[in-house]
Amino acid sequence: MLDFSRDHSALALNTATLGHNVEGHGEGWSPERIIDACAERGFGAITFWRREFAGDEVEIGERTKAAGMDVCGLCRTPFLVGPLAPAPQDAMIVDFKASIDMAAALQAHCLTICVGGVVENSHSMRSSLANVRSILEQILPYAEQSGVTLAIEPLNPVYGGNRSCLVTVRDAVDMCNSIDHALLKIAVDVYHVWWDLSLGDELERLPDGKIAGYHLCDWLPDTQDILLDRGMMGDGVADLKHIRQVVERAGYDGYCEVEIFSAGNWWKKPPAEVLDCCIERFRTVC
Ligand code: ZN
């Protein structure tokens, strides 16, 4: 395993950790202020959310690079299917393409996809996944034009109804392998996979280079809210070292991105304190 105990240059910040992506949360730091604070502390990269930009993606991407960091990701495409997907589907495709354009402008390493929940009235994970698959096949030629990597992220099964009919790494690997396109990869997030004893075996089925992101947080044993009560690494029950070990064994050596939605705790703390804690926990418990 890579040794991060004295080197956190592989650490990335997902700006959600500072509460910016949800109205009324966080201290409202601008992307510029986040870039400076992360660069100062030796973070290696930042993942932004689309809502943080007002047509200034190129400038923010360049500023991140000039500060010595990468943009490791952009969150995210619209939901592709299910009750939260834009309707009609043409409108979803327009928004999907806009997210690809934004990722290209930012020079982001990947664009994250939460695929959306079970298609209404289908009562079927299987057919919903088939819809996702055909949408991905339709959009990949557009992603090719700008070389943007798409990362499908399987979510915890608790989100199956509305946010993601892709709920296991098994299904994500199946989809990735069956579509078999150089720009389609998967993202692994501790919050979604910590419970899965087959994680290592499933990731082994991926060809090298097919993991586009690794997201850090923890699962709190007494979690109060399945969306907005993620734990800081070390505060929960996930076997963080084991998860990173199997992700690395599957060939991943990219950034480890802290992504903590925490309305009741971390979003209430001063951002500088949160960033410092991310570094300390990354070096000690991840
Ligand atoms: Zn994630």
Side-chain angles (χ1 to χ4, degrees):
M1 266 175 87
L2 297 169
D3 179 9
F4 296 139
S5 63
R6 285 183 297 278
D7 173 10
H8 61 273
S9 56
L11 179 62
L13 176 77
N14 183 307
T15 60
T17 305
L18 303 183
H20 297 280
N21 63 323
V22 178
E23 301 305 329
H25 293 290
E27 289 199 5
W29 278 15
S30 64
E32 289 85 351
R33 189 161 178 196
I34 295 172
I35 292 166
D36 292 347
C38 286
E40 222 165 74
R41 288 171 173 78
F43 278 73
I46 301 178
T47 285
F48 293 101
W49 286 68
R50 284 170 74 192
R51 66 170 59 208
E52 295 173 275
F53 302 108
D56 54 352
E57 308 84 69
V58 171
E59 291 79 3
I60 297 298
E62 281 170 1
R63 187 179 173 121
T64 307
K65 283 197 178 282
M69 297 180 292
D70 288 321
V71 177
C72 65
L74 176 66
C75 296
R76 55 181 166 70
T77 67
F79 293 111
L80 314 188
V81 298
L84 301 179
Q89 198 182 76
D90 286 352
M92 184 278 296
I93 292 288
V94 166
D95 194 44
F96 199 157
K97 288 181 174 173
S99 67
I100 290 172
D101 294 344
M102 188 177 273
L106 267 173
Q107 303 178 60
H109 288 189
C110 71
L111 170 65
T112 305
I113 303 176
C114 296
V115 303
V118 170
V119 174
E120 290 144 303
N121 302 316
S122 73
H123 305 281
S124 171
M125 296 287 268
R126 199 178 294 277
S127 73
S128 301
L129 284 170
N131 286 16
V132 168
R133 183 194 159 113
S134 77
I135 290 165
L136 291 173
E137 286 172 334
Q138 182 186 338
I139 206 82
L140 275 161
Y142 188 83
E144 264 174 44
Q145 292 172 22
S146 47
V148 169
T149 293
L150 305 180
I152 48 174
E153 182 167 336
L155 302 194
N156 191 299
V158 77
Y159 298 116
N162 58 0
R163 291 181 170 262
S164 182
C165 57
L166 188 70
V167 297
T168 60
V169 172
R170 176 199 65 200
D171 294 347
V173 170
D174 281 346
M175 187 164 307
C176 197
N177 285 351
S178 68
I179 293 176
D180 191 22
H181 189 288
L183 291 177
L184 184 67
K185 303 185 181 185
I186 80 166
V188 176
D189 185 322
V190 166
Y191 196 73
H192 305 306
V193 308
W194 69 272
W195 54 272
D196 189 351
L197 297 180
S198 65
L199 176 65
D201 292 338
E202 295 298 338
L203 291 177
E204 290 288 326
R205 298 195 294 117
L206 278 173
D208 268 0
K210 281 289 189 180
I211 299 177
Y214 175 50
H215 305 168
L216 287 169
C217 66
D218 212 331
W219 181 276
L220 299 173
D222 58 346
T223 188
Q224 305 293 307
D225 183 313
I226 54 168
L227 194 59
L228 300 179
D229 191 30
R230 293 186 177 204
M232 176 62 72
M233 299 84 75
D235 289 346
V237 296
D239 189 345
L240 295 168
K241 297 238 188 232
H242 170 74
I243 297 171
R244 180 159 69 85
Q245 186 177 41
V246 297
V247 167
E248 284 183 7
R249 200 184 293 146
Y252 185 71
D253 61 358
Y255 292 109
C256 304
E257 173 187 326
V258 178
E259 184 185 28
I260 299 175
F261 301 78
S262 172
N265 187 9
W266 294 98
W267 289 357
K268 291 183 169 170
K269 296 182 191 290
E273 188 184 311
V274 177
L275 295 177
D276 290 339
C277 185
C278 289
I279 294 169
E280 192 258 322
R281 299 296 179 87
F282 181 64
R283 285 183 166 222
T284 53
V285 301
C286 295

